[in-house]
Amino acid sequence: RMFGDCGWYLSNRDDVTTLNQEELSTTVDATATRLSVKQFDATGTLVNQLSSPEMEHIPKGNIHWFKNPKIMVVQDEKPAWNISARRAKSIEGGQRIVFMKQVVIHQNAGADTPESTLKTERITYYPDRKKAMTKALVTFKQPGNSMQSMGMNAYLAEKRVELLHRAK
């Protein structure tokens, strides 16, 4: 469910340029501001929450572009993971989301888990599997530890991070 303001502008001008089907499918057809989307499971429990000050939709590939997106990934009996970036591109209606520029994945400390923060410039997130992956340089921090790696796989539901290459 989407919540926010919506507006329509209709024009009765004669000088409107007609676009062909290919141009229409690759052009923004909808924009939302102050977007907040919540996803619930079959029992009514919140599982994901997305917010963004601006979203644009492109029909071809069912692509959504987000400015300054924030996603909260809720987990049973553990603190939520929060993912933020400057930009994001949701592909095929959210099957995967590519976060770009100043990407931060953070989880607060829990009863049996330390605080964790991952920073990188590009990451692909698969919501159904709660998996994030990148080939870019990643900095992974926990209290008292800081590691860097070229590439990473993060299994958020399992709280497991694999640093791939040249980890130090």
Side-chain angles (χ1 to χ4, degrees):
R1 294 186 172 126
M2 288 190 199
F3 302 97
D5 296 335
C6 185
W8 299 91
Y9 172 75
L10 301 174
S11 174
N12 191 18
R13 294 179 40 183
D14 293 333
D15 62 340
V16 175
T17 303
T18 304
L19 300 174
N20 66 37
Q21 196 61 31
E22 177 63 22
E23 290 170 325
L24 287 172
S25 72
T26 59
T27 302
V28 172
D29 71 343
T31 300
T33 57
R34 298 189 304 261
L35 178 70
S36 178
V37 179
K38 295 178 181 180
Q39 180 183 12
F40 300 87
D41 66 13
T43 66
T45 303
L46 179 66
V47 291
N48 291 306
Q49 182 173 341
L50 165 70
S51 62
S52 175
E54 184 176 314
M55 180 276 303
E56 296 177 327
H57 178 261
I58 297 173
K60 189 172 186 174
N62 196 11
I63 294 170
H64 295 83
W65 281 99
F66 300 95
K67 289 184 181 174
N68 299 315
K70 293 179 181 167
I71 290 184
M72 180 176 63
V73 181
V74 179
Q75 299 190 94
D76 293 334
E77 301 177 23
K78 295 179 185 172
W81 286 95
N82 293 286
I83 306 171
S84 62
R86 303 283 287 157
R87 297 280 289 162
K89 178 182 179 183
S90 171
I91 301 163
E92 297 169 0
Q95 296 297 313
R96 69 187 152 135
I97 303 169
V98 180
F99 290 90
M100 297 160 271
K101 299 184 181 178
Q102 300 174 11
V103 182
V104 176
I105 301 177
H106 179 80
Q107 184 183 41
N108 287 329
D112 59 351
T113 57
E115 178 181 27
S116 299
T117 303
L118 295 154
K119 293 184 179 182
T120 188
E121 285 300 307
R122 183 179 183 92
I123 202 160
T124 302
Y125 175 62
Y126 297 88
D128 289 346
R129 296 182 278 163
K130 295 187 179 183
K131 178 182 179 182
M133 50 195 302
T134 186
K135 293 180 181 179
L137 179 65
V138 176
T139 301
F140 177 60
K141 292 184 178 184
Q142 288 183 324
N145 293 312
S146 180
M147 297 170 267
Q148 285 191 324
S149 172
M150 287 303 291
M152 171 221 61
N153 292 325
Y155 303 88
L156 302 182
E158 302 168 29
K159 191 162 172 99
R160 181 168 56 96
V161 176
E162 296 174 344
L163 301 175
L164 300 178
H165 304 288
R166 298 189 300 243
K168 58 180 180 174

